[in-house]
């Protein structure tokens, strides 16, 4: 039990599909993040929400759309993805959006775009 | 902006032997420094962190890391490796001058442990 739960664990979708990734944290944290992890590349920060407000959009294409309805839940809505979007998508949370709060990660969603 | 380099893509070590993973960073001041570990099929777990003070920091699972300002390095060490230490290790750097928690991660080092 990591305290940060991501569903689904695996997702295969076609380029015309619409799907959503879900993240829930049980740690009472106020900041939540989406990261993209591709093989042998550094983790790429996609979005940051701090107290439900989006504070970072790291030049992510509009085919990725985040949603944070409350401090415990984070979604990543996907539509018209490209094969190069296949990757492990990691959700993380931290106590707040400051540099002294360590990140707690979920186990990720392995996304394959066909 | 900060950046992180992990020079070793893959390291193989025998069980019971010592392990050292290298991390070099680029930043104009003393950054926040972290090591994370990722086991297969899992997310990243924090091993240890350095913000200030004693340059030798102890972490979980018997790991330690030493901050060397002169070398811009934050190398991770373990005196005796166990088979369960086989995983991918990530060094990360954060800025202490912003309220935004933007970590820069290295590309990772994969550790294989042989019996």
């Amino acid at each position: 039990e990591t305290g940060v739960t991501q569903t689904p664990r695996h997702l295969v979708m076609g380029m015309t599909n619409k799907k959503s990734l879900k993240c829930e944290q049980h740690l009472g944290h106020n900041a939540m993040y989406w990261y993209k992890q591709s093989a042998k590349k550094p983790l790429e920060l996609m979005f940051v929400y701090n107290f439900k407000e989006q504070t970072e959009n790291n030049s992510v294409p509009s085919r990725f759309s985040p949603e944070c309805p409350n401090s415990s839940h984070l979604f990543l809505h996907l539509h018209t993805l490209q094969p190069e979007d296949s990757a492990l998508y990691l959700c993380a949370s931290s106590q707040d959006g400051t540099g002294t709060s360590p990140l707690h990660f979920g186990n990720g969603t392995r996304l394959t775009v066909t | 902006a900060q950046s992180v380099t992990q020079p070793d893509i893959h390291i193989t070590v025998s069980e019971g032997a010592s392990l050292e993973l290298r991390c070099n960073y680029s930043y104009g001041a003393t950054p926040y420094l972290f090591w994370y570990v990722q086991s297969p099929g899992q997310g990243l777990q924090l091993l240890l962190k350095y913000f200030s003070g004693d340059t030798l920091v102890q972490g979980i699972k018997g790991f330690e890391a030493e901050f060397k300002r002169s070398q811009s390095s934050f190398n991770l060490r373990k005196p005796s490796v166990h088979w369960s230490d086989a995983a991918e290790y990530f060094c990360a750097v954060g800025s202490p001058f912003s309220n935004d928690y933007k970590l820069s991660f290295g590309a990772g080092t994969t550790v294989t442990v042989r019996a």
Side-chain angles (χ1 to χ4, degrees):
Chain A
E1 179 59 54
T2 65
V4 179
T5 304
Q6 290 186 243
T7 55
R9 290 298 306 274
H10 301 272
L11 178 62
V12 179
M13 60 185 290
M15 288 190 285
T16 58
N17 291 158
K18 290 184 179 181
K19 296 286 185 183
S20 296
L21 309 185
K22 179 182 176 182
C23 176
E24 182 175 3
Q25 58 96 359
H26 315 277
L27 301 169
H29 289 169
N30 294 302
M32 297 188 77
Y33 312 76
W34 281 116
Y35 280 88
K36 178 182 179 182
Q37 185 178 26
S38 303
K40 292 308 169 190
K41 291 176 64 177
L43 268 70
E44 301 172 46
L45 178 63
M46 301 176 71
F47 301 104
V48 181
Y49 279 82
N50 202 6
F51 292 91
K52 300 188 297 178
E53 298 296 321
Q54 187 179 126
T55 58
E56 180 80 15
N57 178 337
N58 203 21
S59 302
V60 180
S62 60
R63 57 186 183 268
F64 295 91
S65 175
E67 179 189 1
C68 187
N70 55 60
S71 294
S72 299
H73 294 85
L74 184 65
F75 295 89
L76 188 62
H77 303 300
L78 316 170
H79 64 97
T80 59
L81 294 190
Q82 305 299 310
E84 60 265 28
D85 296 322
S86 298
L88 182 67
Y89 288 84
L90 291 166
C91 174
S93 70
S94 67
Q95 183 60 50
D96 53 40
T98 67
T100 55
S101 299
L103 296 176
H104 294 255
F105 286 86
N107 288 335
T109 294
R110 174 67 64 185
L111 173 67
T112 303
V113 181
T114 61
Chain B
Q2 63 267 30
S3 65
V4 184
T5 301
Q6 293 181 244
D8 303 304
I9 296 174
H10 190 195
I11 286 180
T12 298
V13 61
S14 297
E15 192 169 15
S18 64
L19 174 69
E20 181 167 12
L21 304 182
R22 296 183 290 164
C23 172
N24 294 99
Y25 67 88
S26 173
Y27 189 66
T30 299
Y32 293 157
L33 295 160
F34 307 82
W35 275 99
Y36 286 85
V37 61
Q38 184 178 31
S39 299
Q42 306 285 316
L44 279 71
Q45 180 184 20
L46 179 68
L47 281 176
L48 48 78
K49 59 186 183 289
Y50 173 79
F51 295 154
S52 65
D54 192 346
T55 57
L56 184 64
V57 294
Q58 303 296 320
I60 62 171
K61 305 186 181 188
F63 284 92
E64 66 178 25
E66 185 172 13
F67 169 59
K68 293 186 177 180
R69 186 193 311 272
S70 61
Q71 298 176 20
S72 297
S73 69
F74 188 57
N75 293 350
L76 181 72
R77 299 193 292 255
K78 185 167 183 177
S80 178
V81 167
H82 187 262
W83 64 266
S84 59
D85 294 322
E88 191 157 18
Y89 293 80
F90 296 91
C91 181
V93 171
S95 168
F97 296 115
S98 168
N99 285 332
D100 291 329
Y101 194 65
K102 299 176 191 175
L103 290 189
S104 294
F105 284 84
T109 298
T110 300
V111 173
T112 297
V113 180
R114 58 182 175 223

